[in-house]
């Protein structure tokens, strides 16, 4: 079976991480897999297994380009380059790639609400046009059914749990870690207040924020975040994107992992932290209850998230088998079974 997996970037965002890991597992299962992507900043953020073919479509930066224009250019460049006739299955992993092809399977990782007109239209088309849908959790499948009357096949992510379980901490200080950058969906402003509350009980505790590669313009939100940090008297350590091999040691050294997102589809980064033995605090969302159950601590606002962080740090390392139950091999088998019904 010839499979094309399409994504919108080469940088370490959740959907790109998913695409590469799934592609490698499908190839290991005997499929002929090609990953198509826009080459934002060069090749992929990590090496890709030799069994996976790569089609990197050049995407040069345009200084000052508005988000809407960048979305439209992204769709046009990928559409012009893609060769649909070469594949039995075309599987888009985001709204940009789903708009760049005429017929595809679509994985809906999570649902968003956008104010940029081009992005809002892109999001809607990428839901209603595909002929089959996959979600990584039952909660997102329920949103698709309630909002659009669409039935989706639920196939959870895999987790490279062994990679994080084997990691040796890279630093010796005491810190709360958040991965995903500074943006509205990640609950970054609430995290500041939760950390400030936790630091009253644990004054030596630092806040470290990693990641943050994104297509979108969050400068206004970042400015509001900086104002809030100053008002609270906290000085987070913002690392930006972390090299692939440096992430597990950074995660393994955390006293707690904070995941206060307001919208998620699965929670892969938090599962990676659990695999490393790090206690995790998440926002109380139905999807995270579905995935994590009793394996993490929950909060619904800065005060309760802060209290949960104190409990997590004082409780010390955790030993959970949960992340090891999610494998990319299982995800690949379920994808192949779905593709057989569609081909």
């Amino acid at each position: 079976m010839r499979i094309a997996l399409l994504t919108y970037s080469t940088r370490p965002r959740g959907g790109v991480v998913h695409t590469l890991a799934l592609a490698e597992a499908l190839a290991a299962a005997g499929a002929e897999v090609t990953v198509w992507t826009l080459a934002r900043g060069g090749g992929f953020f990590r090496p890709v297994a030799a069994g996976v073919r790569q089609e990197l479509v050049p995407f040069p930066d345009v200084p000052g380009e508005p988000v809407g224009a960048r979305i439209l250019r992204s769709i046009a460049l990928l559409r012009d380059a893609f060769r649909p006739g070469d594949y039995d299955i075309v599987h888009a992993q985001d709204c940009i790639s789903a708009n760049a092809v005429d017929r595809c399977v679509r994985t809906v990782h999570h649902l968003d609400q956008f104010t940029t007109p081009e992005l809002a239209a892109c999001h809607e088309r990428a839901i209603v046009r595909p002929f089959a849908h996959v979600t990584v959790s039952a909660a997102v499948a329920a949103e698709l059914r309630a909002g659009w009357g669409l039935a989706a096949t639920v196939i959870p992510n895999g987790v490279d749990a062994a990679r994080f379980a084997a990691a040796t901490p890279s630093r010796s200080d005491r810190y709360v870690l958040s991965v995903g950058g500074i943006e509205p969906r990640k609950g970054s402003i609430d995290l500041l207040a939760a950390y400030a509350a936790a630091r009253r009980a644990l004054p030596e505790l630092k806040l470290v924020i990693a990641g943050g590669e994104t297509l979108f313009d969050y400068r206004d939100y970042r400015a509001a975040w900086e104002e809030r940090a100053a008002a609270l008297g906290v000085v987070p350590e913002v690392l930006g994107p972390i090299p692939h091999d440096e992430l597990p040691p950074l995660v393994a050294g955390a006293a707690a992992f904070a995941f206060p997102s307001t919208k998620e589809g699965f929670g892969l980064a938090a599962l990676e932290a659990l695999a490393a033995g790090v206690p995790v605090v998440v926002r109380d969302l139905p999807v995270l209850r579905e995935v994590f159950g009793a394996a993490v601590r929950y909060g619904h606002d800065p005060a309760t998230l802060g209290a949960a962080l104190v409990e997590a740090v004082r409780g010390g390392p955790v030993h959970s088998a949960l992340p090891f139950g999610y494998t990319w091999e299982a995800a690949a088998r379920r994808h192949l079974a779905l593709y057989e019904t569609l081909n």
Side-chain angles (χ1 to χ4, degrees):
M1 183 180 293
R2 302 168 302 165
I3 302 165
L5 298 183
L6 286 79
T7 187
Y8 75 101
S9 181
T10 50
R11 294 172 176 170
R13 294 294 287 183
V16 182
V17 171
H18 170 104
T19 302
L20 294 183
L22 176 60
E24 290 170 335
L26 288 169
E32 184 179 316
V33 185
T34 303
V35 173
W36 282 80
T37 191
L38 296 170
R40 301 179 190 273
F44 280 110
F45 67 93
R46 69 162 176 86
V48 181
V52 176
R53 298 174 182 173
Q54 301 177 52
E55 291 282 355
L56 307 180
V57 180
F59 190 83
D61 285 336
V62 176
E65 184 178 35
V67 171
R70 188 157 66 250
I71 295 295
L72 295 177
R73 183 165 64 95
S74 299
I75 294 168
L77 285 175
L78 189 55
R79 173 178 283 276
D80 288 347
F82 185 60
R83 302 185 298 273
D86 291 352
Y87 305 101
D88 303 305
I89 293 290
V90 175
H91 191 159
Q93 297 291 330
D94 50 76
C95 77
I96 287 173
S97 58
N99 275 260
V101 295
D102 292 321
R103 178 175 168 79
C104 68
V105 183
R106 164 82 197 282
T107 292
V108 180
H109 293 273
H110 62 269
L111 291 163
D112 279 309
Q113 292 182 332
F114 296 108
T115 57
T116 302
E118 295 88 348
L119 191 50
C122 172
H123 182 265
E124 182 69 14
R125 287 193 303 267
I127 292 173
V128 300
R129 288 177 55 191
F131 72 93
H133 299 78
V134 175
T135 64
V136 293
S137 62
V140 177
E143 288 185 77
L144 269 184
R145 186 167 53 252
W148 289 269
L150 296 171
T153 300
V154 179
I155 305 178
N157 279 316
V159 180
D160 193 355
R163 176 170 170 254
F164 285 82
T168 300
S170 57
R171 21 192 310 175
S172 58
D173 51 344
R174 209 174 193 197
Y175 58 95
V176 169
L177 177 66
S178 178
V179 173
I182 299 166
E183 58 184 77
R185 185 173 69 84
K186 295 299 181 181
S188 302
I189 290 178
D190 278 357
L191 176 59
L192 290 173
Y195 165 67
R199 201 179 60 163
R200 288 195 286 270
L202 300 166
E204 80 287 359
L205 194 64
K206 298 178 181 178
L207 174 60
V208 176
I209 299 175
E213 285 288 0
T214 181
L215 177 66
F216 309 120
D217 184 356
Y218 292 128
R219 283 176 293 183
D220 290 346
Y221 185 84
R222 177 65 178 264
W225 181 88
E226 290 172 349
E227 289 178 6
R228 183 64 172 147
L232 291 167
V234 301
V235 184
E237 183 179 348
V238 182
L239 302 178
I242 302 296
H244 181 67
D245 291 338
E246 295 178 16
L247 181 61
L250 178 67
V251 172
F257 188 88
F259 201 68
S261 298
T262 62
K263 178 75 70 171
E264 284 291 342
F266 184 74
L268 182 56
L271 278 167
E272 292 169 341
L274 269 186
V278 176
V280 172
V281 173
V282 308
R283 193 182 296 269
D284 197 348
L285 302 177
V287 63
L288 299 181
R289 288 278 181 181
E290 173 192 338
V291 173
F292 290 94
V296 301
R297 290 175 172 85
Y298 295 90
H300 60 269
D301 60 12
T304 52
L305 288 164
L309 284 172
V310 172
E311 291 177 2
V313 172
R314 287 176 171 168
V318 297
H319 303 283
S320 175
L322 180 67
F324 297 87
Y326 294 103
T327 69
W328 288 111
E329 292 77 12
R333 288 195 300 270
R334 294 179 66 176
H335 276 84
L336 288 170
L338 173 64
Y339 295 158
E340 289 291 347
T341 70
L342 303 174
N343 190 23

